[in-house]
């Protein structure tokens, strides 16, 4: 099991620099007043493809020695679009297996970057079977896992590396946890450069298997529940769990209503469009789910891919 | 009639600097691809109070020799909140006359900054009468007009001054036109520093009195029509008209549906929350309403104050 180190994250930062945006950090005085602390939001919703996922996907492809072969993944969301975009940049083919019930706008994002989509029945077994079937026919294809992959983790770590270069003296960083790609990358960075920073994961109550895994010291599978923070439904990965066990201070969880409240506040006060997963860390702050209070808190707004027609159900 | 000059705008920029945000400029690759040019968006929706209006309001108050007296304005929207905020900063009282039918969230924004609200019947005559009645009782109050005021114009001009310092070689700047505060301030700056930049105003078809005024060489009154770009319903001001006649290249107009299309694109691709007025310039680009094509176009996203519950009717 190859765990990435700080060197891998720094190398990733150099590698992906020409392909990604250096995203801004914003604040809202009214959110600061409301919470009695300074909250810094790094806007990865403005990132290429609309999420931080382009960081890991680009690094994973850049690290492949043979770029003749194509890549494949199964994903219902942002990793698929990110991999398709990264593959296009390197002139590689990209295959994506997606469940039939994925919203049209997510399929369009993947097609937009020239990837080939194979639709399958909903559910992880069907996705894995469809992927295996394609790979059996085309053994040259390389699978790029959305989060349980050292190069992907190193790529996602670059978001936190940038963040601590942009904002001095953060006392705590709060990140949403799904498969754990973002927080495990952050963990590598924080442990090596700023061990004094409190790194805290936040999950929806509905899918709190990372919290349970850390509490029990053994990895729980995905709950299979649904949450409006649909980007966080994946179970925690093996590499990801190994890393966060070492250095993530704690993982807390929030209710669906708390996520909705935070989402509305981000739209109304920060004036940015984010998907519900991005609102999960702010939800924990608003709901007082942390034991300690901090004066300077950092949050990464992970993505902004949202079907606007759904917004009325979300806030 | 005192028209502000570049010196007044530069002085305003120094004066208001401690009170305002230096707002970022963002781009979207997919919008650039769609339009075949580079579009730079200056995010005044991230500005304090949610709009550029804080610039003019702060400058107007800063320029008052006697800051003992309070200020008053009648406004249904963003200028009221901006003036209330600016007055609070200087420890002055602020009175705002608002029509009864103003949405609750706009009243809350004004109250939030400690202003005193007097509600009146809808319509300009009732607003003016209610304001006059208060001023008769309290002759020390100073009226700060939302746009037809040299200090306000100089303050709004700082947005364009910042913009051309942030982005080199803009060929054209497109701005929405309501009362004309923003574009007349821009006009002062462009005429003096970058006369080669094409400065173009955009209005909703429904309230195109600035376009008609420029075409006829005489100031038309407000149409009284409604538009989803509700921040642009005011008629062009006297000072504002005098300035834009000199240096604004042209004013074009767009339909309600074109505004909606542009608004959706801003949410989906730029991932920022703007009010409909901010989408008007992009609507003109998308609808091909300009005679010339430009390679580098600047747009100021003027504000982000939106009732999210209304969003479903807007896009």
């Amino acid at each position: 099991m190859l765990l990435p180190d700080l060197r891998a994250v720094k190398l990733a930062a150099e590698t992906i620099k020409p392909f990604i945006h250096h995203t801004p950090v914003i604040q809202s005085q009214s959110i600061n007043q409301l919470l009695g602390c300074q909250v810094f939001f790094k806007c990865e919703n403005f990132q290429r493809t609309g999420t931080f996922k382009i960081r890991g996907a680009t690094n994973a492809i850049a690290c492949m020695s043979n770029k003749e072969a194509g890549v494949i993944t199964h994903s219902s969301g942002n990793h698929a679009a990110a991999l398709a975009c990264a593959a296009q940049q390197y002139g590689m083919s990209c295959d994506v297996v997606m469940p039939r019930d994925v919203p049209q706008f997510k399929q369009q994002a993947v097609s937009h970057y020239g990837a080939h989509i194979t639709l399958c029945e909903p559910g992880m077994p069907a996705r894995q079977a469809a992927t295996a079937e394609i790979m059996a026919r085309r053994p040259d294809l390389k699978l790029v896992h959305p989060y349980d992959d050292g190069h992907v983790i190193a790529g996602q770590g670059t978001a936190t590396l940038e963040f601590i270069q942009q904002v001095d003296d953060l006392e705590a960083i709060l990140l949403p946890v799904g498969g754990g790609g973002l927080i495990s990358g952050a963990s590598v960075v924080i442990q090596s450069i700023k061990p004094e920073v409190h790194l805290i994961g936040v999950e929806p109550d509905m899918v709190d298997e990372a919290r349970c895994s850390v509490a029990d010291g053994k990895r729980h599978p995905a709950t299979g529940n649904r949450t409006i923070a649909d980007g966080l439904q994946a179970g925690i990965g093996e590499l990801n769990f190994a890393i966060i066990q070492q250095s993530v201070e704690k993982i807390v969880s929030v209710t669906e209503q708390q996520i909705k409240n935070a989402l509305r506040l981000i739209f109304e006060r920060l004036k940015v469009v984010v998907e519900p997963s991005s609102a999960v860390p702010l939800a924990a702050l608003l709901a007082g789910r942390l034991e300690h209070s901090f004066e300077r808190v950092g949050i990464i707004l992970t993505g902004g891919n949202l079907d606007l027609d759904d917004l009325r159900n979300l806030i």
Side-chain angles (χ1 to χ4, degrees), chain A:
Chain A
M1 195 163 67
L2 273 174
L3 298 182
D5 57 9
L6 180 65
R7 206 178 133 269
V9 178
K10 286 188 167 175
L11 201 60
E14 284 304 308
T15 304
I16 70 176
K17 195 173 179 183
F19 300 109
I20 65 159
H21 297 321
H22 189 267
T23 56
V25 174
I26 61 175
Q27 286 194 269
S28 152
Q29 288 198 335
S30 60
I31 291 178
N32 289 350
Q33 279 173 11
L34 190 67
L35 288 166
C37 65
Q38 289 214 68
V39 190
F40 299 86
F41 296 91
K42 181 162 174 66
C43 294
E44 287 288 301
N45 58 322
F46 296 163
Q47 189 49 270
R48 286 193 70 192
T49 73
T51 69
F52 72 94
K53 297 268 183 178
I54 189 67
R55 295 173 179 270
T58 302
N59 193 49
I61 289 184
C63 291
M64 287 177 184
S65 50
N66 172 12
K67 294 197 181 60
E68 299 297 307
V71 290
I72 184 169
T73 197
H74 53 87
S75 161
S76 60
N78 291 322
H79 172 66
L83 190 68
C85 175
Q88 192 179 50
Q89 285 168 171
Y90 283 94
M92 294 172 79
S93 77
C94 179
D95 273 79
V96 174
V97 174
M98 296 188 115
R100 276 182 211 291
D101 57 356
V102 158
Q104 200 61 28
F105 85 99
K106 291 200 173 178
Q107 292 189 35
Q108 283 167 353
V110 172
S111 309
H112 173 74
Y113 295 112
H116 179 256
I117 297 176
T118 302
L119 293 176
C120 68
E121 296 309 312
M124 192 54 80
R127 278 161 60 165
Q128 286 170 334
T131 307
E133 196 270 323
I134 296 171
M135 290 182 75
R137 280 189 284 114
R138 297 166 56 197
D140 55 321
L141 288 183
K142 290 185 185 159
L143 182 69
V144 181
H145 195 277
Y147 47 87
D148 207 346
D149 175 304
H151 297 305
V152 170
I153 294 171
Q156 317 305 31
T158 63
T160 300
L161 186 63
E162 253 178 50
F163 200 5
I164 60 174
Q165 287 163 350
Q166 287 170 289
V167 187
D168 277 341
D169 299 328
L170 286 175
E171 281 184 80
I173 296 179
L174 270 60
L175 300 177
V177 183
L182 184 70
I183 200 167
S184 55
S187 182
V188 171
V189 171
I190 293 304
Q191 213 178 1
S192 309
I193 304 184
K194 295 252 181 194
E196 69 278 16
V197 172
H198 302 262
L199 182 60
I200 298 167
V202 190
E203 277 182 320
D205 280 343
M206 296 300 290
V207 292
D208 66 344
E209 78 293 319
R211 188 171 65 77
C212 298
S213 301
V214 168
D216 292 355
K218 66 169 199 249
R219 192 160 69 106
H220 287 227
T223 62
N225 294 333
R226 296 186 78 98
T227 159
I228 62 159
D230 58 348
L232 306 180
Q233 280 166 186
I236 186 87
E238 193 179 341
L239 283 176
N240 313 89
F241 181 57
I243 295 171
I244 69 175
Q245 260 192 313
Q246 290 169 22
S247 58
V248 170
E249 183 169 310
K250 69 189 297 187
I251 297 181
V252 300
S253 66
V254 291
T255 67
E256 297 292 290
Q257 188 57 51
Q258 287 164 347
I259 298 169
K260 286 185 182 186
N261 296 346
L263 187 64
R264 180 176 268 271
L265 204 67
I266 289 171
F267 272 76
E268 286 184 345
R269 305 296 171 86
L270 276 182
K271 318 285 185 192
V272 295
V273 173
V274 296
E275 53 196 76
S277 305
S278 296
V280 168
L282 181 62
L285 272 184
L286 287 167
R289 300 299 287 261
L290 308 186
E291 280 161 28
H292 302 284
S293 60
F294 303 104
E295 290 193 1
R296 291 166 70 84
V297 181
I299 286 175
I300 295 180
L301 298 175
T302 48
N305 293 335
L306 188 71
D307 188 345
L308 284 181
D309 299 322
D310 280 348
L311 194 59
R312 69 192 71 182
N313 306 320
L314 296 176
I315 52 179

Short mmCIF file of all heavy atoms in Angstrom, two decimals, chain A residues 25 27-28 39 42 44 55 95-96 113 121 155 162 182 205 219 255-256 277 279 281 300 303:
data_model
loop_
_atom_site.label_atom_id
_atom_site.label_comp_id
_atom_site.label_asym_id
_atom_site.label_seq_id
_atom_site.Cartn_x
_atom_site.Cartn_y
_atom_site.Cartn_z
N VAL A 25 -9.83 32.76 -2.33
CA VAL A 25 -10.37 32.56 -0.98
C VAL A 25 -11.24 33.76 -0.67
O VAL A 25 -10.81 34.90 -0.85
CB VAL A 25 -9.23 32.45 0.05
CG1 VAL A 25 -9.79 32.37 1.47
CG2 VAL A 25 -8.36 31.23 -0.25
N GLN A 27 -14.46 35.65 1.93
CA GLN A 27 -15.03 35.73 3.27
C GLN A 27 -16.35 36.48 3.21
O GLN A 27 -16.59 37.22 2.26
CB GLN A 27 -14.11 36.52 4.19
CG GLN A 27 -12.86 35.80 4.62
CD GLN A 27 -12.23 36.56 5.78
OE1 GLN A 27 -11.40 37.44 5.57
NE2 GLN A 27 -12.63 36.24 7.00
N SER A 28 -17.17 36.31 4.22
CA SER A 28 -18.39 37.11 4.34
C SER A 28 -18.42 37.70 5.74
O SER A 28 -18.36 36.97 6.74
CB SER A 28 -19.62 36.22 4.13
OG SER A 28 -20.73 36.74 4.84
N VAL A 39 -14.09 33.03 9.01
CA VAL A 39 -14.16 31.82 8.20
C VAL A 39 -13.67 32.15 6.79
O VAL A 39 -14.16 33.10 6.16
CB VAL A 39 -15.59 31.25 8.13
CG1 VAL A 39 -15.56 29.86 7.47
CG2 VAL A 39 -16.21 31.17 9.51
N LYS A 42 -12.24 28.59 0.54
CA LYS A 42 -11.49 28.43 -0.72
C LYS A 42 -12.43 27.88 -1.79
O LYS A 42 -13.04 26.82 -1.62
CB LYS A 42 -10.29 27.49 -0.53
CG LYS A 42 -9.48 27.34 -1.83
CD LYS A 42 -8.09 26.79 -1.59
CE LYS A 42 -7.35 26.51 -2.89
NZ LYS A 42 -7.04 27.72 -3.69
N GLU A 44 -13.15 26.12 -4.60
CA GLU A 44 -12.92 25.08 -5.61
C GLU A 44 -14.17 24.84 -6.47
O GLU A 44 -14.10 24.11 -7.45
CB GLU A 44 -12.44 23.79 -4.95
CG GLU A 44 -11.00 23.87 -4.46
CD GLU A 44 -9.98 23.88 -5.60
OE1 GLU A 44 -9.95 22.93 -6.38
OE2 GLU A 44 -9.22 24.86 -5.70
N ARG A 55 -7.98 18.08 -9.87
CA ARG A 55 -6.61 18.01 -9.35
C ARG A 55 -6.12 16.56 -9.31
O ARG A 55 -5.05 16.23 -9.85
CB ARG A 55 -6.55 18.61 -7.94
CG ARG A 55 -6.87 20.11 -7.90
CD ARG A 55 -6.97 20.60 -6.45
NE ARG A 55 -7.25 22.03 -6.36
CZ ARG A 55 -6.33 22.99 -6.31
NH1 ARG A 55 -5.04 22.67 -6.31
NH2 ARG A 55 -6.67 24.25 -6.24
N ASP A 95 -13.27 6.30 -20.86
CA ASP A 95 -14.54 5.60 -20.76
C ASP A 95 -15.12 5.80 -19.37
O ASP A 95 -14.40 5.68 -18.37
CB ASP A 95 -14.35 4.10 -21.00
CG ASP A 95 -14.44 3.78 -22.47
OD1 ASP A 95 -13.43 4.00 -23.18
OD2 ASP A 95 -15.53 3.34 -22.91
N VAL A 96 -16.41 6.09 -19.33
CA VAL A 96 -17.07 6.29 -18.03
C VAL A 96 -18.32 5.41 -17.95
O VAL A 96 -19.16 5.46 -18.86
CB VAL A 96 -17.47 7.77 -17.84
CG1 VAL A 96 -18.28 7.94 -16.57
CG2 VAL A 96 -16.24 8.66 -17.79
N TYR A 113 -16.52 16.68 -22.47
CA TYR A 113 -15.07 16.49 -22.53
C TYR A 113 -14.69 15.29 -23.39
O TYR A 113 -13.57 14.79 -23.29
CB TYR A 113 -14.49 16.36 -21.11
CG TYR A 113 -14.66 17.61 -20.30
CD1 TYR A 113 -15.50 17.66 -19.20
CD2 TYR A 113 -13.97 18.78 -20.64
CE1 TYR A 113 -15.66 18.83 -18.45
CE2 TYR A 113 -14.13 19.96 -19.91
CZ TYR A 113 -14.98 19.97 -18.81
OH TYR A 113 -15.13 21.12 -18.10
N GLU A 121 -27.18 -0.31 -14.84
CA GLU A 121 -28.23 -0.22 -13.82
C GLU A 121 -27.65 0.50 -12.59
O GLU A 121 -26.45 0.48 -12.37
CB GLU A 121 -28.71 -1.61 -13.43
CG GLU A 121 -29.40 -2.37 -14.56
CD GLU A 121 -30.50 -1.55 -15.24
OE1 GLU A 121 -31.33 -0.98 -14.51
OE2 GLU A 121 -30.50 -1.45 -16.48
N GLY A 155 -2.93 14.55 -5.62
CA GLY A 155 -3.51 15.66 -6.39
C GLY A 155 -4.51 16.46 -5.55
O GLY A 155 -4.47 17.69 -5.54
N GLU A 162 -2.32 24.81 -1.35
CA GLU A 162 -2.58 26.17 -1.84
C GLU A 162 -3.25 27.02 -0.76
O GLU A 162 -2.91 28.18 -0.56
CB GLU A 162 -3.55 26.11 -3.02
CG GLU A 162 -2.95 26.38 -4.38
CD GLU A 162 -4.02 26.25 -5.46
OE1 GLU A 162 -5.11 26.86 -5.34
OE2 GLU A 162 -3.75 25.53 -6.43
N LEU A 182 -10.21 14.06 -0.57
CA LEU A 182 -9.80 15.43 -0.22
C LEU A 182 -9.13 15.48 1.14
O LEU A 182 -8.07 16.08 1.32
CB LEU A 182 -11.03 16.36 -0.24
CG LEU A 182 -10.73 17.82 0.02
CD1 LEU A 182 -9.98 18.45 -1.14
CD2 LEU A 182 -12.03 18.60 0.27
N ASP A 205 -25.07 12.99 8.66
CA ASP A 205 -25.49 11.90 9.55
C ASP A 205 -25.90 10.65 8.77
O ASP A 205 -25.67 9.53 9.20
CB ASP A 205 -26.74 12.34 10.35
CG ASP A 205 -26.41 13.23 11.54
OD1 ASP A 205 -25.24 13.25 11.95
OD2 ASP A 205 -27.33 13.91 12.03
N ARG A 219 -12.55 -0.10 9.17
CA ARG A 219 -13.25 0.55 8.08
C ARG A 219 -14.66 -0.01 7.88
O ARG A 219 -14.82 -1.20 7.65
CB ARG A 219 -12.44 0.38 6.79
CG ARG A 219 -12.90 1.23 5.64
CD ARG A 219 -11.79 1.37 4.61
NE ARG A 219 -11.53 0.12 3.92
CZ ARG A 219 -11.91 -0.13 2.67
NH1 ARG A 219 -12.55 0.78 1.97
NH2 ARG A 219 -11.63 -1.28 2.11
N THR A 255 -27.05 17.01 10.27
CA THR A 255 -28.32 16.56 9.73
C THR A 255 -28.57 17.15 8.34
O THR A 255 -27.93 18.13 7.95
CB THR A 255 -29.49 16.98 10.64
OG1 THR A 255 -29.60 18.42 10.58
CG2 THR A 255 -29.28 16.56 12.08
N GLU A 256 -29.54 16.58 7.67
CA GLU A 256 -29.92 17.08 6.34
C GLU A 256 -30.39 18.55 6.43
O GLU A 256 -30.06 19.37 5.59
CB GLU A 256 -31.04 16.22 5.74
CG GLU A 256 -30.65 14.77 5.49
CD GLU A 256 -29.61 14.61 4.39
OE1 GLU A 256 -29.96 14.82 3.21
OE2 GLU A 256 -28.45 14.26 4.70
N SER A 277 -22.86 19.18 -1.03
CA SER A 277 -21.70 18.62 -0.32
C SER A 277 -20.79 19.71 0.23
O SER A 277 -20.18 19.54 1.29
CB SER A 277 -20.88 17.73 -1.27
OG SER A 277 -21.69 16.75 -1.84
N ALA A 279 -21.57 22.47 1.49
CA ALA A 279 -22.15 23.19 2.63
C ALA A 279 -21.99 22.42 3.94
O ALA A 279 -22.27 22.96 5.02
CB ALA A 279 -23.63 23.45 2.37
N PRO A 281 -19.35 21.31 5.83
CA PRO A 281 -18.50 21.83 6.91
C PRO A 281 -19.08 23.07 7.59
O PRO A 281 -19.05 23.18 8.83
CB PRO A 281 -17.18 22.17 6.20
CG PRO A 281 -17.17 21.29 5.00
CD PRO A 281 -18.60 21.21 4.56
N ILE A 300 -12.99 24.37 2.52
CA ILE A 300 -12.90 24.29 1.06
C ILE A 300 -14.30 24.04 0.50
O ILE A 300 -14.96 23.07 0.88
CB ILE A 300 -11.93 23.17 0.61
CG1 ILE A 300 -10.50 23.50 1.06
CG2 ILE A 300 -11.98 22.98 -0.91
CD1 ILE A 300 -9.44 22.45 0.67
N GLY A 303 -17.26 22.03 -4.58
CA GLY A 303 -17.77 21.98 -5.94
C GLY A 303 -19.02 22.80 -6.15
O GLY A 303 -19.71 23.17 -5.19
#
